[in-house]
């Protein structure tokens, strides 16, 4: 499966890179190579070692062994600054920008060549305009970063790297925060950059994107390279096998919800103002039927987080009412709503879903600690907690050593399984699932989806809030699009298609 | 998938690792103490005194006689009791720096009850005084948390400020309305014999409060580790957002942990007044409420650890005056050692990092 | 990373070298530098203790004496009097002694008890606020003898001593009224304890004897040690016309220097604090009392009761004038000296009045 290296001049080569964290091997003799003007996709599940490998390249981690060559010359990357000097630029998943400063000033930060201690902003601005034109980035260097859209901010990061002389650009999961349209735009830029002779390393676990943008693909699995192939030699199905080691079916046969299914949840003109008194939810209406998955699509930051929190009782809406099974729950506390049959799978599971520093067992009883059989007369029943926890760990295939280990020691997928196990073991009636597969690998995502469908089969209602269109389309019976705190449209899955939803997500209703 | 035998081995390995972690944690506390004593020795040497003589005097002063052991334990009583209260609050991430004020008010109201019913049978009067002290301490602490919940006012700053209010208020009381008639001193009249805690060791001042302290340590350990309340305190302290989302009444958790904390401080005040001074006096506490914070942290917020740390600090403080008398090292050298313990303990992360690095080096070398 | 390990090792070696160096020098008794001269005395028993307690020394008695003080022994006031008396008496008698300074009221019982438990036969509790604490310990240690400063309640093994410096205060009042040009003199004091009230009344009586028209101001600042407050009170009295102040606390002499008025010290010779303004000081010497009590304890003849050592016993007297006596009118000086002699012979008894003042 390893074709000989091409005779073209090699821009970057990493050979036999090995990185260990304690006894855990993050990279085990990994080889990658990128040519001039090429896009290399680094494909792998979460925890496969992609980020570790790129941290080696960015000079953040020193490998235990292995060699790095740039233009045939062996180099040792000593520090992040040294990495920049070698022409390597990294665009992190979370932007490293100061929102209150202009683009040009952001570029100047930490750059002595721009003038020290007072950078020559005018000069930098002119240079930035030139680079922006050359690579078709369309950025105004004077613009304040906070006024720019997420997609533009990403282009600012790219511009920043290019200004610092990057020839090899690393993009870490760049599409995870973009709308379909923005993703499309980013791909245009990547093609333009490679056309100009830059090399791009594109980190992703999304098969369709990898197939679309890359020239070559290196697949990592559990720290090892499982394949190094050109795009033309492979397809999505093969890649997914290489990545997760087993094939999974993406298409499902779901029994449609009977039209007479009764309404489980009714959200009636909910309005919510944030701390700055800005409206985040505006008279939002929504219903969820029994046995239905209602998908909420939308670009991040259009009120999804607040919607979930208002439903879970963590935030109090300023007006409007919420009914579960016809009962008004608007004024009920989170605890009372949980008793009423609500389950909440929060988007930020490490902050809202789990207590990272306590044991798995103690995480399982977070909602039920005051109830029998978990406790009696205020005293915890550890036998019961232990046995129930062990059973849940088995049922939900949570990979762990002991119920006494902390949640923080679990991988992201297993943490999510922990949340699911806890929420679903309470036999809830209504489930809010916020970004349930965020940050999970293919196998764990599949598991989560199966469990959600299982709940649907049991006749429970599920509100699925996700920015991943694939997930929405795969699971939902109905799809609503949220935009600036309002539901723009609700479509049945038969009617909905990606373009239409994609346009609605950017606020365009006139189609 | 692991098979069963594998699983068992891994679980054993995990338990071993956990035990090692616990030992390292305890080690960091002990390490801080030892290192502080070494640095203290250097300072004592610079003062022109043989550190071994000084430490011998210190140990002799703290544990050399029946009386000094009793005094050490007696000093540990307010530190341990207040310390376990602070432990509960800190566990809920409520930073109660107000134990000093809570102790003063608790002691005052306990004494007021004692003075009001001097003829009641001790079996009724003493619990009544204890309850009065605990309720007063709890209420005073509770105010700080109510301010936090209502106005989002930082409880750490509130409690510090409320210390001053409490201490000066008590000072005014013992110089004014409840001052002993005819005395120029800031103190109330003496408590009747019925209102004084019985002595449990002859010829010493060790009173029954020490036994109660041991029981309270056990009780607090049980509360924190075995009850729903303790569980909710722990998870809320670690992650209040997740706890709130999971339906735990975090406001009640905050308030109740502080009520407990204040009650313990009030109880300590009752012990000091009814066990040691036999009246309320100005300056009844020499900073026990503050030292107890250090004691709680050094005890790793574990009630049993807190008890050990309290005895250590009690011994240091009692031994210090003997050291001063015997070899002429000022008692403030011991205060210095106490603060060094604090600094080194806070810096223990760096300490354990160094140890880890040393282990790693050894492994690489081997 | 090896480097860091070496560094730590180096620190440990350095620390231990220092320690051993310390041990070695200590074997030579004169080599160890001592910070304060006063501490040397305290070291004497320690050195013996660590050597061997059973070895017979050239001491005349195995009685050990301890004193518990409420403030620092170098306060040139109450606590200095106590310590100096203890030191002089015990060195003369050749008995071992120890002391604890700056002991708070809350901690007094513990410290007194500690000495009792450690076998000290005679313990002085040198503060009128230690009386009750001493009483409690005395009940537990009937073999030990306690002497508490101006205590109200006594037992068989607990006596008391007072400081009849009100006798001196009477003379001070005479002197102050005699040299005052404004006809107003002042008295700045800490707290209104019975002893201080006796002093104030005597001061007033003395002043009135010298000048029936005299006006005597008085202030109790509510604390034994609060120099800014004492100074403030003194300045207030000066502004009301006082040109001679009796200083019963730190801060008053400062005010006298600043406002150029006369000050009269108390307890020890405080002239060094203001060589130009401190005319003299009413001295109190605890040495005769401590010496007699200790001797009685050694002899086994001690009986409980109050020991009052005043002018007649040489325990209360005026300090040197340090050349300032030229400012005193001859007739005033003569009257004061005559009164001193009269008190000494018992011809005149200074009225003892501890009633409260406003």
């Amino acid at each position: 499966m390893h074709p000989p290296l091409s005779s073209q001049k090699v821009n970057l080569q990493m050979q036999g890179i090995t990185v260990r964290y304690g006894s855990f091997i993050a990279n085990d003799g990994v080889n990658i190579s990128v040519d001039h003007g090429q896009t290399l996709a680094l494909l792998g599940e979460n925890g496969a070692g992609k980020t570790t490998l790129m941290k080696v390249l960015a000079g953040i981690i020193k490998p235990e062994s292995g060699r790095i060559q740039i233009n045939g010359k062996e180099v040792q990357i000593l520090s992040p600054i040294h990495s920049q000097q070698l022409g390597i630029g990294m665009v992190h998943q979370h932007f490293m920008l100061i929102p209150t400063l202009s683009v040009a000033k952001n570029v100047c930060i930490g750059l002595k060549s721009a003038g020290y201690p007072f950078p020559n902003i005018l000069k930098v601005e002119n240079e930035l305009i030139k680079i922006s034109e050359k690579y078709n980035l369309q950025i105004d260097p004077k613009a304040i970063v906070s006024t720019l859209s997420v997609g533009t901010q990403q282009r600012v990061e790219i511009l920043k790297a290019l200004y610092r002389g990057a020839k090899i650009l690393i993009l870490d999961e760049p599409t995870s925060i973009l709308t379909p349209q923005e993703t499309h735009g980013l791909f245009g830029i990547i093609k333009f950059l490679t056309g100009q002779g830059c090399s791009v390393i594109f980190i992703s676990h999304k098969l369709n994107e990898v197939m679309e943008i890359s020239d070559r693909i290196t697949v990592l699995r559990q720290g090892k390279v499982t394949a190094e192939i050109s795009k033309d030699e492979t397809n999505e199905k093969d890649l997914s096998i290489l990545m997760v080691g087993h094939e999974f079916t993406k298409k499902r046969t779901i029994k449609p919800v009977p039209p007479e299914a009764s309404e489980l949840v009714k959200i009636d003109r909910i309005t919510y103002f944030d701390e700055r008194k800005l409206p985040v939810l505006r008279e939002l209406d929504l219903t969820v039927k029994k046995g239905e998955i209602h998908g909420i699509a939308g670009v991040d930051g259009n009120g999804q987080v607040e919607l979930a929190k208002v439903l879970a009782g963590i935030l109090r809406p300023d007006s409007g009412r919420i009914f579960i099974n016809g009962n008004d729950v608007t004024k009920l506390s989170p605890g009372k709503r949980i008793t009423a049959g609500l389950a909440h799978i929060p988007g930020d599971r490490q902050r809202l879903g789990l207590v990272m520093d306590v044991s798995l067992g103690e995480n399982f009883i977070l909602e039920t600690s005051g109830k029998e059989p978990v406790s009696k007369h205020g005293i915890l029943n550890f036998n019961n907690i232990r046995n129930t926890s062990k059973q849940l760990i088995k049922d939900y295939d949570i990979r762990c050593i002991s119920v006494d280990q902390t949640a923080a020691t679990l991988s992201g997928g297993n943490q999510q399984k922990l949340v699911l196990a806890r929420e679903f073991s309470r036999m809830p009636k209504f489930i809010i699932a916020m970004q349930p597969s965020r940050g999970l690998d293919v196998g764990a995502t599949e598991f989560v989806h199966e469990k959600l469908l299982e709940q649907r089969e049991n006749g429970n209602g599920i509100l699925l809030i996700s920015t991943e269109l694939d997930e929405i389309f795969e699971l939902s019976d109905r799809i609503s699009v949220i935009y600036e705190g309002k539901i723009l449209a609700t479509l049945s899955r038969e009617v909905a298609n990606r373009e239409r939803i994609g346009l609605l997500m950017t606020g365009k209703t006139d189609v | 998938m692991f098979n069963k035998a594998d699983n068992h081995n891994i679980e054993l390995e995990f338990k071993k690792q956990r035990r090692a972690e616990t030992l390292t944690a305890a080690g960091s506390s002990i390490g801080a103490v030892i290192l502080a004593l070494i640095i203290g020795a250097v300072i004592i040497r610079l003062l022109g005194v043989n550190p071994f003589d000084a430490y011998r005097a210190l140990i002799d002063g703290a544990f050399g006689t029946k009386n000094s052991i009793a005094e050490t334990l007696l000093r540990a009583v307010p530190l341990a009791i207040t310390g376990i209260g602070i432990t509960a609050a800190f566990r809920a991430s409520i930073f109660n720096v107000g134990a000093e004020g809570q102790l003063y008010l608790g002691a005052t109201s306990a004494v007021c009850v004692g003075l009001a019913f001097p003829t009641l049978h001790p079996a009724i009067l003493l619990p009544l005084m204890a309850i009065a002290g605990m309720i007063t301490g709890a209420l005073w602490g509770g105010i700080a948390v109510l301010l936090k919940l209502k106005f989002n006012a930082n409880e750490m700053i509130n409690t510090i400020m409320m210390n001053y209010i409490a201490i000066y208020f008590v000072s005014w009381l013992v110089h004014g309305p409840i001052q002993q008639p005819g005395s120029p001193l800031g103190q109330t009249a003496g408590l009747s014999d019925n209102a004084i805690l019985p002595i449990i060791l002859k010829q010493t001042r060790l009173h029954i409060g020490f036994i109660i302290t041991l029981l309270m340590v056990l009780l607090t350990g049980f509360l924190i580790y075995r009850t729903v309340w303790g569980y909710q305190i722990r998870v809320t302290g670690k992650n209040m957002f997740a706890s709130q989302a999971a339906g735990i009444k975090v406001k009640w958790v905050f308030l109740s942990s502080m009520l407990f904390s204040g009650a313990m401080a009030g109880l300590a005040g009752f012990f000091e007044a009814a066990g040691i001074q036999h009246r309320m006096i100005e300056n009844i506490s020499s900073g026990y409420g503050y030292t107890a914070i250090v004691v709680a942290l050094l005890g790793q917020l574990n009630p049993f650890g807190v008890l050990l740390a309290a005895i250590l600090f009690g011994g240091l403080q009692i031994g210090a005056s003997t050291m001063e008398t015997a070899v002429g090292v000022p008692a403030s050298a011991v205060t210095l050692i106490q603060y060094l313990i604090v600094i080194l303990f806070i810096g223990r992360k760096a300490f354990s990092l160094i140890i880890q690095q040393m282990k790693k080096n050894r492994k690489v070398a081997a | 990373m090896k480097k860091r390990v070496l560094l730590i090792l180096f620190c440990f070696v350095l620390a231990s070298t220092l320690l051993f160096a310390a041990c070695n020098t200590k074997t030579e008794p004169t080599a160890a530098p001592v910070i304060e001269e006063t501490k040397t005395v305290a070291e004497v028993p320690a050195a013996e203790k660590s050597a061997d307690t059973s070895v017979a020394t050239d001491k005349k008695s195995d009685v050990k004496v301890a004193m518990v003080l409420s403030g620092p022994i170098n306060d040139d006031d109450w606590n200095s009097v106590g310590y100096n008396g203890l030191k002089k008496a015990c060195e003369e008698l050749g008995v071992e002694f120890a002391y604890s300074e700056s002991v708070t009221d809350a901690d007094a019982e513990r410290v007194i008890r500690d000495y009792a438990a450690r076998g000290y036969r005679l313990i002085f509790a040198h503060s009128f606020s230690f009386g009750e604490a001493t009483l409690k310990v005395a009940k537990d240690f009937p073999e030990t003898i306690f002497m508490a400063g101006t205590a109200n309640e006594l037992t068989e093994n607990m006596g008391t001593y007072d400081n009849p410096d009100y006798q001196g205060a009477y003379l001070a009042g005479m002197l102050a009224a005699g040299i005052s040009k404004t006809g107003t003199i002042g008295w700045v004091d800490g707290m209104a304890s019975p002893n201080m009230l006796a002093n104030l009344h005597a001061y007033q009586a003395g002043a009135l004897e010298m000048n029936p028209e005299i006006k005597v101001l008085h202030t109790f600042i509510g604390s034994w040690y609060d120099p800014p407050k004492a100074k403030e009170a003194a300045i207030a009295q000066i502004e009301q016309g006082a040109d001679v102040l009796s200083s019963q606390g730190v801060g008053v002499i400062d005010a006298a220097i600043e406002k150029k008025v006369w000050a009269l010290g108390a307890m020890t010779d405080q002239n060094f604090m203001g060589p130009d303004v401190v005319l003299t000081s009413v001295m109190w010497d605890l040495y005769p009392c401590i010496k007699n009590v200790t001797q009685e304890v050694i002899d086994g003849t001690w009986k409980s009761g109050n020991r009052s050592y005043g002018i007649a016993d040489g325990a209360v007297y005026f300090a040197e004038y340090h050349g300032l006596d030229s400012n005193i009118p001859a007739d005033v000086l003569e009257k004061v000296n005559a009164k001193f002699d009269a008190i000494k012979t018992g011809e005149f008894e200074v009225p003892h009045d501890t009633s409260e003042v406003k």
Side-chain angles (χ1 to χ4, degrees), chain B residues 41 45 47-48 51-52 60-61 67 71 75 184 203-205 276-279 318 321 325-327 354 357 361, chain C residues 1 8 19 22-23 33 35 43 46 98-100 106-107 109-110 113-115 117-118 129 132 136 140-141 192:
Chain B
R45 170 70 195 106
L47 290 175
F52 289 116
D60 178 50
N67 184 57
E71 288 294 337
R75 181 62 59 96
Q203 282 212 333
T204 72
R205 298 195 289 167
I276 308 263
Q277 305 300 345
H278 302 168
R279 56 155 49 98
I318 298 302
S321 65
T325 320
V327 297
I354 293 170
Q357 195 66 50
N361 284 341
Chain C
M1 285 308 130
I8 293 163
L19 289 186
C23 309
I35 291 191
E43 274 187 2
Y99 66 93
S100 294
D107 211 23
E109 187 187 341
R110 181 185 71 74
R113 187 177 288 273
D114 189 52
Y115 279 119
R118 283 170 191 279
S129 57
E132 209 163 314
K136 283 185 199 162
D140 275 349
F141 292 88

Side-chain angles (χ1 to χ4, degrees), chain B residues 287-298:
Chain B
Y288 298 142
Y290 299 114
T291 311
I293 296 171
V294 177
V295 164
L297 292 175
L298 190 66

Side-chain angles (χ1 to χ4, degrees), chain A residues 314 334-335 338 350-352 354-355 357 362 365-367 369-370 375 378-380 382 397 401-402 404-405, chain B residues 1 7 10-11 14 18 222 225-229 231-232 234-235 238-239 241-248:
Chain A
I314 302 166
I338 286 167
Q350 299 195 344
R351 198 171 128 93
L352 271 183
L354 296 171
V355 182
D357 296 334
E362 289 178 313
I365 60 167
L366 203 55
E367 288 153 336
S369 60
S375 63
I379 295 163
L380 293 169
F382 280 94
D397 188 26
I401 297 166
S402 157
D404 295 324
Q405 77 186 82
Chain B
M1 269 303 188
N7 238 336
I10 290 170
E11 178 132 16
F14 173 75
R18 282 240 304 191
F222 179 78
Y225 296 113
R226 296 279 150 174
T227 66
V228 174
W229 180 70
Y231 165 79
Q232 294 193 343
R234 284 185 291 124
V235 292
K238 296 269 189 201
N239 185 344
F241 302 105
S243 304
Q244 187 189 24
I248 292 174

Side-chain angles (χ1 to χ4, degrees), chain A residues 439-460:
Chain A
L440 302 191
D441 60 41
V442 182
T445 302
E446 180 63 17
F447 183 89
V448 169
H449 289 176
E450 261 169 26
K451 286 291 172 189
L452 284 173
L453 289 168
E454 201 180 290
Q455 290 297 318
R456 175 184 178 276
E457 286 296 299
N458 294 345
N460 297 331

Side-chain angles (χ1 to χ4, degrees), chain B residues 25-26 28-30 32-33 79-80 82-91 94-97 156 289-310 312-313 341-348:
Chain B
S28 70
S29 283
I30 296 164
V33 172
L79 296 178
T82 315
I84 54 175
I86 286 172
T87 292
F90 275 26
R91 284 268 182 171
I94 287 291
F95 295 101
N96 179 16
V97 192
M156 208 192 293
Y290 299 114
T291 311
I293 296 171
V294 177
V295 164
L297 292 175
L298 190 66
Q300 313 252 4
L301 297 186
N302 174 322
F304 307 101
V306 170
L307 178 66
L308 291 179
L312 172 75
F313 270 57
I341 292 174
V342 180
I343 291 169
L344 292 168
F345 178 71
I346 290 166
R348 73 190 186 280

Side-chain angles (χ1 to χ4, degrees), chain B residues 96 102 139-149 153-156 158-159 162 258:
Chain B
N96 179 16
Q102 292 148 19
L139 289 179
W140 191 243
I143 293 172
V145 170
L146 286 180
L147 290 172
K148 177 193 175 79
L149 297 179
N154 184 307
E155 80 280 2
M156 208 192 293
N158 285 344
T159 47
M162 286 168 69
M258 181 60 119

Side-chain angles (χ1 to χ4, degrees), chain C residues 185-201:
Chain C
I185 59 173
W187 172 275
V188 181
D189 203 346
M191 290 202 256
S193 67
N195 176 49
M196 285 307 172
L197 287 167
N199 270 299
L200 174 59
H201 287 299

